[in-house]
Amino acid sequence: MTKRRSSRALWAVSLSLTVAGCLEADEATLRNPAEAVGETRQAAVTQGIRDKVIVGYQGWFTAYGDGSPTERWSHWSAGVYRSNEGVPAPGHQTFDLYPDISEYAPGSLFQTGYAPLGNGAPAKLFSSYPSDVVNKHFQWMQQYGIDGAAVQRFLTTDGVFMAHRDSVASKVRTAAEATGRLFYIMYDVSGLSDATFLQMVKDDWTNQIVGQLHLPSSSRYATQDGKPVVSIWGLGFTDRPGSAAQASELVDWFRGQGAYVIGGVPTNWRTSSGDSKPGFTDVYKKFHMISPWTVGRYSTDADVDNFKNNYLLPDLAYCNTNGQAYQPVMFPGFAWYNWNGGAKNLIPRRAGALLWKQATNIRAAGISAAYIAMFDEYDEGTAIAKAAEDSSMAPTNQYFLTLSSDGTYLSSDFYLRLSGKVTRLIQGLDAPTSAVPIAPSNGPVWFRTGGEETDAALTWTNTIDPTGGGSQGVTGYGGTGGVDFRAVSGEQAHSGSRALRITGRDTQAGGASFSYFKAYDVHIPVHASTRLSFWTYPQNSLSRHVTVDLVMTDGSTLRDSGATDLNGVSMHPGADRGTVNAWTQTKSQIGQWLAGKTIDRILITYDYSPLTGDFRGFIDDIEVSD
């Protein structure tokens, strides 16, 4: 895969899966944001980047009405200058992963043309232009233990575009200084011409970055060996501008300015093959630090290990021999279905397993620095910043990737929490583990699913739980086959188009008739405030006994705990629940009976003895929260 951007400074990527970036709030507010449960704030990061984990920061999203010089929508969609034309709407978007918008100030959110989110909230999107948005992003970096950011710098003769980039860069400086994060400029030569890129980069550094914005004079601007850090991405790529002579001149020029220069180079830089132009070997040797692009180069754990053996370790040895530092690139996953087509969830994140595997390989190689692509890249679905957890946090009339699209419910801050652990692992502060070392959620929502394609998926389908209840006296609907449990689409749904369904026939009047199906494998701590909620739709009287049950790690169950719902109705499936041919919500403060225990499995069940006959019941929108 090759990192690409068009002349509009949009990202694009050519995929190959075989081998297979003036403070308005006062400083006191910036330094004391509300913290996530279980997270702590990181002290100011020391200078030097050879032992730091850096994230790529785009800061490029705009919206019409945000006050930015661009005066249009960009990166969420292709907007029209000084117009709301091109507002993001179904079929008109250039991003794949929907952000979590719940923590942004109302004035930084802008109405789209999408239907409301699954939770009923208006479908809005943030702009990167307001100071409070940049502040929020750097607060997250501090809160979750991320060292700093490489600020993406694209160049163009469009003065409006450059004015926006200058403003965001200045706001990054202020936010970095307030939160103790490091930052540095990362030039991307994409979209520039052979004839102009060399002078444009030199002029921008001299006149804007140093002369006008004074960024390197910031106490938080990254330095190494007393030199201000600058990264240049794209030199040597087969589809990027610049001859070897031009590239060499640019690197030499920055070194002459006293800079520490990082090279964002092709994957095959060391062999000058594949995505690398030939004849660039001497150019690559001029960089103080080498950072080869890896996004899209692998997907499975086997791919990651192959990459380690064929690229990571040989690259590191080469750098050590030539006295260069090494900054490998990691990414959490990739998708651009809404923008460039291809499969949905093209490179799955695997609930953090892909990012963690890369990190463990980097740690095993003894490398103490890394670059995570990217912090806010919602366009190609590589963002680690807070994102929609599931269908409840995305528009109902347009597909968007969510963090639960891999089938496991994840909180919106999951990849921020994991990136903090990645940082500690690579820096040798935590011991490596084979499994992802964090919980899917730290609350207050511990689990939620509506069964949609971007929600947590069933762990088991049509599988009786022998230790959780088993099955007796029940056969298939209509008297043929066996009782059946599965997710279905297009029959009944409380929200979206999917729900869970049990169908069967109770054959034992007056005897024990029940079927307990395993549905979701979880590990959820129960507190005094923990509540279970779900919706049921019974199609006849017997179906009022289709419901949700819980099995705890100690073997106890919700049904036998004595728990009731908020109306005083027993949570045992033998109690009548809901209204025939209507959706009814059940809520139970289960913490009153189960506090101190841990939920091990969520079951979907039928259990009733007095009558016989067919039953068909639906369940939707299950949630466990505090």
Side-chain angles (χ1 to χ4, degrees):
M1 179 182 285
T2 305
K3 178 184 178 186
R4 296 176 177 269
R5 296 174 180 82
S6 72
S7 57
R8 292 190 301 133
L10 288 173
W11 288 72
V13 179
S14 174
L15 290 171
S16 173
L17 291 178
T18 55
V19 189
C22 161
L23 195 62
E24 291 177 355
D26 62 35
E27 186 168 307
T29 301
L30 246 180
R31 293 182 181 277
N32 296 282
E35 297 181 11
V37 176
E39 301 299 330
T40 58
R41 293 169 58 76
Q42 185 186 39
V45 178
T46 59
Q47 287 290 349
I49 59 165
R50 289 179 183 158
D51 60 348
K52 300 297 189 297
V53 175
I54 299 295
V55 294
Y57 187 71
Q58 306 286 20
W60 59 15
F61 295 101
T62 63
Y64 180 66
D66 63 2
S68 69
T70 54
E71 297 187 76
R72 63 177 176 269
W73 289 91
S74 64
H75 283 277
W76 299 123
S77 65
V80 177
Y81 185 48
R82 292 184 172 174
S83 169
N84 200 40
E85 185 178 346
V87 61
H92 189 76
Q93 56 272 320
T94 56
F95 69 107
D96 221 63
L97 178 65
Y98 207 85
D100 174 7
I101 61 173
S102 63
E103 292 188 34
Y104 296 107
S108 298
L109 294 173
F110 301 87
Q111 183 62 49
T112 68
Y114 301 116
L117 309 182
N119 59 21
K124 296 186 177 184
L125 291 167
F126 71 83
S127 166
S128 302
Y129 185 73
S131 295
D132 63 86
V133 171
V134 180
N135 295 343
K136 177 65 67 177
H137 291 164
F138 276 76
Q139 289 166 11
W140 288 344
M141 292 180 207
Q142 180 186 23
Q143 181 178 334
Y144 293 95
I146 297 168
D147 292 330
V151 183
Q152 310 299 288
R153 184 75 174 174
F154 305 95
L155 300 180
T156 176
T157 57
D158 182 348
V160 166
F161 174 82
M162 293 311 301
H164 170 73
R165 298 308 300 170
D166 287 352
S167 178
V168 170
S170 292
K171 291 165 184 173
V172 164
R173 170 181 177 159
T174 305
E177 290 172 354
T179 58
R181 301 308 90 193
L182 297 179
F183 76 101
Y184 60 86
I185 291 296
M186 185 176 187
Y187 282 105
D188 190 317
V189 301
S190 302
L192 302 179
S193 69
D194 289 341
T196 61
F197 88 93
L198 187 59
Q199 196 60 47
M200 287 180 72
V201 174
K202 291 180 182 180
D203 289 345
D204 184 75
W205 177 262
T206 301
N207 300 330
Q208 294 302 113
I209 301 303
V210 176
Q212 183 68 32
L213 303 177
H214 311 296
L215 298 185
S217 66
S218 169
S219 61
R220 293 285 84 204
Y221 194 89
T223 63
Q224 182 65 53
D225 303 328
K227 303 173 184 293
V229 174
V230 63
S231 179
I232 310 171
W233 193 95
L235 297 180
F237 282 84
T238 55
D239 53 357
R240 294 300 187 276
S243 65
Q246 289 174 311
S248 182
E249 179 182 342
L250 184 58
V251 179
D252 285 341
W253 184 84
F254 269 111
R255 292 178 67 116
Q257 301 298 304
Y260 183 91
V261 190
I262 303 173
V265 297
T267 306
N268 296 284
W269 67 279
R270 179 172 39 83
T271 57
S272 290
S273 61
D275 57 349
S276 173
K277 296 175 182 177
F280 268 70
T281 298
D282 289 339
V283 176
Y284 299 141
K285 287 182 178 179
K286 291 177 180 289
F287 290 114
H288 293 99
M289 176 180 270
I290 291 290
S291 187
W293 190 243
T294 61
V295 175
R297 295 297 192 260
Y298 35 72
S299 177
T300 67
D301 282 356
D303 292 337
V304 178
D305 283 339
N306 288 336
F307 193 90
K308 176 190 71 174
N309 295 328
N310 296 322
Y311 289 91
L312 188 70
L313 295 178
D315 282 359
L316 176 62
Y318 185 97
C319 286
N320 288 340
T321 297
N322 288 280
Q324 294 172 289
Y326 190 53
Q327 185 192 55
V329 173
M330 297 181 287
F331 68 103
F334 176 89
W336 59 4
Y337 173 82
N338 280 341
W339 179 19
N340 281 340
K344 295 177 180 178
N345 200 12
L346 185 59
I347 302 180
R349 296 177 176 222
R350 295 189 280 120
L354 177 60
L355 185 62
W356 188 247
K357 178 64 174 177
Q358 295 168 78
T360 57
N361 280 357
I362 291 170
R363 165 68 181 273
I367 302 168
S368 59
Y371 177 97
I372 299 177
M374 308 285 288
F375 183 83
D376 54 343
E377 176 64 270
Y378 295 100
D379 312 52
E380 296 175 356
T382 63
I384 63 166
K386 295 187 182 186
E389 296 169 355
D390 53 25
S391 63
S392 73
M393 296 172 67
T396 56
N397 64 342
Q398 171 65 47
Y399 166 83
F400 283 103
L401 187 72
T402 73
L403 297 189
S404 297
S405 290
D406 296 335
T408 301
Y409 174 78
L410 301 178
S411 64
S412 69
D413 70 344
F414 179 84
Y415 285 94
L416 289 171
R417 289 188 287 124
L418 184 58
S419 295
K421 286 292 187 180
V422 163
T423 299
R424 292 182 58 83
L425 175 71
I426 290 174
Q427 294 174 348
L429 299 175
D430 289 345
T433 60
S434 57
V436 173
I438 62 171
S441 175
N442 275 349
V445 177
W446 297 97
F447 178 85
R448 182 173 58 216
T449 185
E452 305 304 313
E453 66 175 322
T454 57
D455 290 350
L458 286 169
T459 309
W460 302 278
T461 296
N462 209 23
T463 302
I464 294 293
D465 190 339
T467 62
S471 183
Q472 178 179 303
V474 179
T475 62
Y477 191 87
T480 60
V483 61
D484 183 82
F485 163 62
R486 64 189 63 247
V488 294
S489 179
E491 293 189 22
Q492 290 291 338
H494 172 254
S495 63
S497 62
R498 303 183 185 187
L500 305 179
R501 183 195 70 189
I502 287 186
T503 59
R505 171 172 288 186
D506 188 324
T507 64
Q508 293 188 183
S513 302
F514 52 82
S515 287
Y516 287 84
F517 288 92
K518 296 190 289 186
Y520 301 100
D521 185 13
V522 296
H523 191 83
I524 301 173
V526 181
H527 308 117
S529 59
T530 302
R531 182 169 70 179
L532 168 68
S533 68
F534 55 89
W535 292 77
T536 57
Y537 187 99
Q539 288 197 325
N540 61 16
S541 181
L542 278 181
S543 305
R544 296 177 70 195
H545 304 280
V546 171
T547 188
V548 173
D549 196 13
L550 307 175
V551 177
M552 317 308 290
T553 54
D554 64 3
S556 61
T557 62
L558 174 64
R559 66 181 182 270
D560 292 329
S561 69
T564 63
D565 66 18
L566 297 187
N567 295 316
V569 178
S570 171
M571 292 300 290
H572 193 286
D576 291 338
R577 186 163 306 285
T579 303
V580 174
N581 291 325
W583 283 103
T584 303
Q585 187 177 28
T586 292
K587 296 180 180 180
S588 174
Q589 203 75 25
I590 61 173
Q592 294 181 23
W593 296 272
L594 300 174
K597 295 177 181 285
T598 300
I599 303 171
D600 185 61
R601 301 186 300 283
I602 299 175
L603 309 184
I604 306 299
T605 180
Y606 167 83
D607 191 336
Y608 194 57
S609 298
L611 301 175
T612 62
D614 289 334
F615 58 86
R616 179 188 283 113
F618 297 86
I619 294 177
D620 202 358
D621 295 332
I622 303 170
E623 181 177 306
V624 181
S625 59
D626 286 338

